[in-house]
RNA sequence: CGGGAUGUGGCGCAGCUUGGUUAGCGCGCCUGCUUUGGGAGCAGGAGGCCGCGAGUUCGAAUCUCGCCAUCCCGACCA
């Protein structure tokens, strides 16, 4: 490839709208251009990187016996209605109508469509099956951000496994887990597997692969001591035991004029936050619900969703609250409340002599015994872990790490196979629904995650495995016929030896070419110039270290081969 | 959806407060000459619905209203 003929529109200045390093560098390096929010064009260099990422994933998928397929991106509404997700997916799903008036959806994931296909499986003898594809997903994200990190249109490698039973699913899940570890290792992404919430996917168990990065949108709770790792939507911690006094025989009401916050109550009325019950009012699928937390604890909404199975969750409006409880936030409580569901965080279990709102403005109750005074309908872990709390496994202090979710694997069970009649006859002749798993990697997001972890002040530093080219031959003086000839010969020689090589033959000054080689992140640069040729050498520079060595032109292939681990 | 910010040649920006030449600067682009190993110099040149639509005015990039788009924070989000 000749740089002079390749479309690599590098930018001299940082684009104003790009914040995250990957966004900024992919724009500047001529890899991507934005069409609109959340939609990017991939330019020639990016397409080369993407192909490498895909090939690595493909090799590992094939390595665990998965078969590549390609399913449609436009789906009939009817299929999504059958699984119930036409409704559940809400505004995140792009919908359209064809000329006949038929309602269609753009694919945001493919569980339904794969399950429909899997209905053609007949016998347990055909199992296990593992199918995968690289296909575009469309999601009407409320807020796309940070270049390729969160887009509305992206390529996903998604795979789906079909097994006869749970044991088979566990094995398929483990195989994917292993493949994912190898994939991210090969991509140069330091992914941490973490326990995760399954969200609208359903299913019993899921693991996310998280790449630590300040550009990430997720928080991982991590224990440096024992390596416990969980998404904050799922993570727990060990709490110190608190000793409560028995308190009075019944709650006592007391006036708290002007008190609106936990802090007010703690400082003004000798009620430590750990001894307060915080009463949050949520609307879960149109059902007003009381959610009780310890005063110093924060609710994690995803945990609330997971605990209740609710599809739509929002905090109640003040007028809804007043109508239901007769008071405004600041004086709410669950004592004596009937007729509304009451959910309580486990940290409140067994607590006595607590303080909470009286459901009368400016009044609170003390001496509340949770078991005695509150009709808790469901106990759940709802608390959001904070940094420094004790690890649930080993008790050491936990850390919070910002991370990009680069992969997510789910044990789905039979939710979709039942709906779509994906059953096989077992050895006993009885029909059983297939047990499914689903597994996803965001391809362009993975590219962004790689850049997040592999760049410096001069630009991208691609790991060799995904670099658009292995080596660039930089002709320092293109206008000098001898130098140009030497460069061209070296280029031909390297290409013939099988290296992915590009020659920078542009009529630019050397400095421009050096800058662009560094910005675009090509791992090796061969500089061919008058200076070196006079003494019979060219220079071989490593992008990552900046280290340069002088090499005889006909030694370059061998040296590169050594550096890149090929003959 | 709430809060904040920004829309002016391909990129980065100034001009707007106080309306009034032909809308300006840097980079990039084209031509020529010179230069040539870390983003060259000089000369000449091309390129603009000043986000869109109304309004105010003799006159709007500039003032008013509405809309749209993009970015950031939050909400939200496999």
């Amino acid at each position: 490839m000749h740089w002079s003929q390749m479309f690599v529109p590098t930018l001299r200045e940082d684009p104003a709208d790009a914040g995250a390093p990957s966004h900024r560098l992919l724009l500047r390096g001529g890899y991507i251009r934005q069409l609109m929010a959340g939609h990017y064009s991939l330019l020639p260099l990016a397409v080369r990187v993407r192909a490498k990422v895909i090939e690595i994933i493909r090799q590992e998928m094939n390595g665990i016996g998965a078969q590549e397929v390609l399913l449609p991106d436009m789906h009939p509404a009817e299929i999504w209605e059958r699984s119930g997700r036409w409704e559940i997916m809400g505004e995140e799903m792009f919908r359209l109508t064809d000329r006949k008036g038929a309602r269609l959806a753009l694919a945001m994931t493919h569980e339904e469509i794969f399950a429909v296909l899997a209905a053609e499986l007949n016998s347990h003898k055909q199992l296990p099956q593992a199918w995968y594809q690289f296909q575009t997903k469309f999601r009407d994200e409320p807020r796309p951000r940070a270049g390729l990190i969160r887009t509305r249109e992206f390529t996903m490698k998604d795979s789906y496994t079909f097994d006869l039973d749970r044991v088979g699913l566990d094995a398929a899940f483990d195989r994917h887990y292993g493949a994912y570890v190898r994939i991210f290792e090969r991509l140069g992404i330091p992914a941490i597997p973490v326990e995760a919430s399954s969200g609208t996917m359903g299913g019993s168990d899921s693991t996310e692969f998280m790449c630590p990065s300040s550009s990430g949108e997720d928080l991982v709770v991590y224990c440096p001591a024992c390596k416990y790792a969980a998404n904050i939507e799922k993570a727990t911690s060990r709490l110190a035991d608190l000793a409560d006094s028995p308190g009075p025989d019944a709650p006592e009401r007391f006036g708290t004029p002007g008190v609106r916050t936990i802090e007010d109550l703690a400082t003004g009325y000798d009620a430590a936050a750990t001894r307060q019950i915080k009463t949050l009012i949520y609307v879960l699928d149109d059902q007003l619900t009381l959610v009780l937390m310890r005063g110093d604890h924060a609710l994690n909404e995803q945990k609330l969703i997971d605990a209740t199975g609710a599809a739509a969750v929002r905090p109640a409006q003040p007028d809804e609250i007043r109508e239901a409880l007769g008071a405004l936030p600041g004086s709410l409580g669950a004592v004596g409340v009937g007729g509304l569901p009451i959910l309580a965080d486990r940290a409140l279990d067994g607590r006595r002599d607590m303080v909470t709102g009286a459901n009368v403005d400016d009044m609170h109750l003390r001496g509340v015994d949770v078991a005695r005074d509150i009709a808790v309908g469901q106990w759940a872990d709802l608390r959001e872990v904070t940094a420094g709390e004790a690890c649930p496994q080993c008790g050491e202090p936990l850390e919070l790490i910002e991370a990009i979710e680069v992969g997510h694997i789910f044990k789905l069970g039979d939710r979709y196979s039942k709906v779509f009649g994906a059953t096989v006859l077992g050895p006993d002749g009885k029909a059983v629904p297939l047990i499914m798993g689903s597994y996803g990697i965001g391809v362009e997001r993975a590219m962004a995650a790689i850049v997040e972890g592999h760049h410096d002040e001069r630009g991208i530093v691609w790991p060799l495995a995904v670099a658009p080219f292995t080596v660039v031959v930089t002709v320092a003086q293109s206008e000098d016929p001898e130098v140009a000839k030497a460069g061209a010969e070296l280029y031909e020689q390297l290409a013939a030896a099988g290296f992915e090589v590009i020659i920078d033959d542009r009529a630019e000054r050397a400095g421009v070419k050096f800058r662009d080689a560094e910005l675009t992140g090509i791992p090796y640069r061969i500089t061919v110039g008058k200076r070196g040729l006079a003494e019979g050498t060219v220079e071989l520079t490593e992008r990552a270290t900046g280290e340069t060595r002088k090499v005889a032109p006909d030694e370059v292939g061998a040296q590169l081969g050594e550096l890149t681990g090929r003959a």
Side-chain angles (χ1 to χ4, degrees):
Chain A
M1 182 60 66
H2 290 68
W3 199 304
S4 60
Q5 292 311 118
M6 194 167 183
F7 182 48
V8 187
T10 55
L11 301 173
R12 191 171 291 221
E13 292 176 90
D14 274 337
D17 277 345
S22 63
H23 188 194
R24 182 168 50 81
L25 292 172
L26 289 170
L27 276 171
R28 269 197 70 183
Y31 283 82
I32 62 173
R33 286 296 183 266
Q34 184 184 55
L35 180 64
M36 55 180 168
H39 299 261
Y40 286 84
S41 303
L42 301 187
L43 308 190
L45 286 179
V47 165
R48 295 183 69 100
V49 174
R50 178 176 176 275
K52 299 229 169 157
V53 171
I54 285 177
E55 187 52 30
I56 287 172
I57 298 172
R58 179 177 283 130
Q59 286 172 7
E60 296 296 339
M61 285 293 108
N62 292 346
I64 60 170
Q67 305 161 67
E68 185 166 354
V69 296
L70 186 60
L71 272 51
D73 243 353
M74 290 177 63
H75 307 161
E78 193 265 336
I79 285 183
W80 285 85
E81 283 170 339
R82 278 211 270 163
S83 70
R85 293 208 292 182
W86 181 259
E87 286 293 326
I88 291 172
M89 290 311 192
E91 297 199 301
E92 201 178 338
M93 178 180 262
F94 284 104
R95 299 154 205 260
L96 63 155
T97 307
D98 72 11
R99 64 201 301 162
K100 293 180 295 189
R103 294 166 304 136
L104 306 171
L106 294 186
M108 51 189 301
T109 179
H110 279 82
E111 280 73 22
E112 282 82 353
I113 314 304
F114 270 87
V116 166
L117 197 60
E120 287 211 32
L121 294 168
N122 299 312
S123 161
H124 72 279
K125 294 175 195 166
Q126 295 170 291
L127 302 182
Q129 289 290 324
W131 301 339
Y132 75 98
Q133 64 176 348
F134 295 92
Q135 178 62 296
T136 304
K137 302 291 186 263
F138 296 93
R139 297 177 184 183
D140 193 354
E141 295 286 349
R143 186 151 101 82
R145 58 175 292 278
L148 297 185
I149 289 177
R150 180 167 292 276
T151 57
R152 301 204 305 171
E153 176 183 353
F154 60 97
T155 311
M156 177 182 279
K157 185 291 295 177
D158 46 329
S159 35
Y160 304 83
T161 57
F162 306 92
D163 284 277
L164 189 61
D165 53 27
R166 286 268 154 199
V167 176
L169 170 62
D170 290 347
F173 188 88
D174 289 347
R175 281 193 294 274
H176 268 83
Y177 188 106
Y180 274 38
V181 168
R182 289 188 293 275
I183 287 166
F184 293 123
E185 162 85 35
R186 290 178 64 183
L187 293 178
I189 295 174
I192 307 169
V194 311
E195 295 175 25
S197 156
S198 294
T200 61
M201 217 66 189
S204 58
D205 208 348
S206 85
T207 298
E208 287 171 333
F209 290 80
M210 293 294 205
C211 173
S213 164
S214 58
S215 297
E217 305 176 286
D218 288 272
L219 281 173
V220 169
V221 173
Y222 181 71
C223 175
C226 75
K227 310 302 176 194
Y228 168 78
N231 192 302
I232 197 155
E233 296 173 349
K234 180 90 175 181
T236 61
S237 67
R238 195 182 293 172
L239 291 177
D241 286 333
L242 294 172
D244 296 328
S245 61
D249 291 338
E252 297 167 357
R253 187 186 280 198
F254 62 107
T256 53
V259 166
R260 289 290 172 271
T261 66
I262 300 286
E263 182 66 23
D264 293 344
L265 202 55
T267 54
Y269 296 85
D270 188 30
T274 55
R275 288 192 42 232
Q276 296 186 38
I277 302 170
K278 177 157 58 180
T279 307
L280 305 169
I281 317 298
Y282 269 79
V283 180
L284 307 175
D285 292 338
D286 299 324
Q287 172 62 57
L288 212 64
T289 303
L290 276 64
V291 181
L292 309 185
M293 307 293 304
R294 199 170 87 183
D296 59 327
H297 290 161
L299 168 73
N300 183 286
E301 284 194 7
Q302 187 64 45
K303 286 188 173 182
L304 180 60
I305 290 168
D306 291 345
T308 59
V313 169
R314 64 172 174 87
Q317 302 292 326
D319 54 324
E320 294 172 306
I321 295 171
R322 182 177 276 290
E323 190 184 334
L325 296 177
L328 286 174
S331 300
L332 301 176
V335 175
V337 171
L340 290 176
I342 299 176
L343 236 78
D345 181 66
R346 292 193 204 287
L348 293 173
D349 197 8
R351 298 296 306 280
R352 295 178 301 177
D353 200 19
M354 302 288 281
V355 176
T356 191
N359 285 335
V360 177
D361 285 341
D362 296 327
M363 298 293 280
H364 280 77
L365 298 173
R366 62 176 147 237
V368 173
D369 181 321
V370 174
R372 182 191 65 197
D373 301 322
I374 299 178
V376 174
Q378 184 185 351
W379 291 93
D381 170 35
L382 303 172
R383 174 174 60 92
E384 183 158 296
V385 171
T386 60
E389 290 178 0
C391 173
Q393 292 184 3
C394 73
E396 292 300 306
L398 292 166
E399 291 178 2
L400 250 50
I401 302 175
E402 293 177 291
I404 300 167
E405 179 191 342
V406 287
H408 199 164
I409 59 180
F410 301 85
K411 293 183 183 175
L412 293 177
D414 58 12
R415 170 175 171 181
Y416 299 97
S417 49
K418 270 185 174 166
V419 168
F420 296 103
T423 61
V424 295
L425 296 180
D428 58 1
K430 288 182 181 158
V432 290
L434 293 166
I435 306 301
M436 288 177 61
S438 84
Y439 317 83
I441 294 176
V443 173
E444 292 84 11
R445 180 184 282 183
M447 289 165 58
I450 294 167
V451 176
E452 291 289 331
H454 300 270
H455 70 269
D456 60 20
E457 64 289 343
R458 294 183 167 190
I460 301 171
V461 186
W462 289 114
L464 191 60
V466 297
F469 291 96
T470 299
V471 56
V472 52
V473 175
T474 300
V475 182
Q477 301 92 9
S478 300
E479 74 298 331
D480 183 312
E482 275 187 46
V483 178
K485 181 159 171 287
E489 282 172 3
L490 192 50
Y491 166 72
E492 294 297 343
Q493 176 193 321
L494 292 173
F499 289 101
E500 294 188 69
V501 55
I502 182 170
I503 180 167
D504 194 344
D505 55 338
R506 292 176 297 169
E508 293 285 352
R509 296 165 67 85
V512 173
K513 299 185 187 184
F514 294 152
R515 296 275 186 166
D516 277 348
E518 284 156 355
L519 179 60
T520 53
I522 297 169
Y524 297 98
R525 185 181 86 209
I526 310 292
T527 308
V528 180
K530 264 193 280 199
R531 204 191 275 170
L533 290 178
E535 57 176 44
T537 64
V538 297
E539 288 156 35
L540 194 170
T541 304
E542 190 172 358
R543 173 67 181 91
T545 60
E547 185 190 310
T548 294
R549 61 178 90 169
K550 292 184 179 179
V551 185
D554 49 12
E555 285 295 311
V556 169
Q559 294 258 348
L560 262 184
E562 212 168 287
L563 287 166
T564 60
R566 49 173 295 168

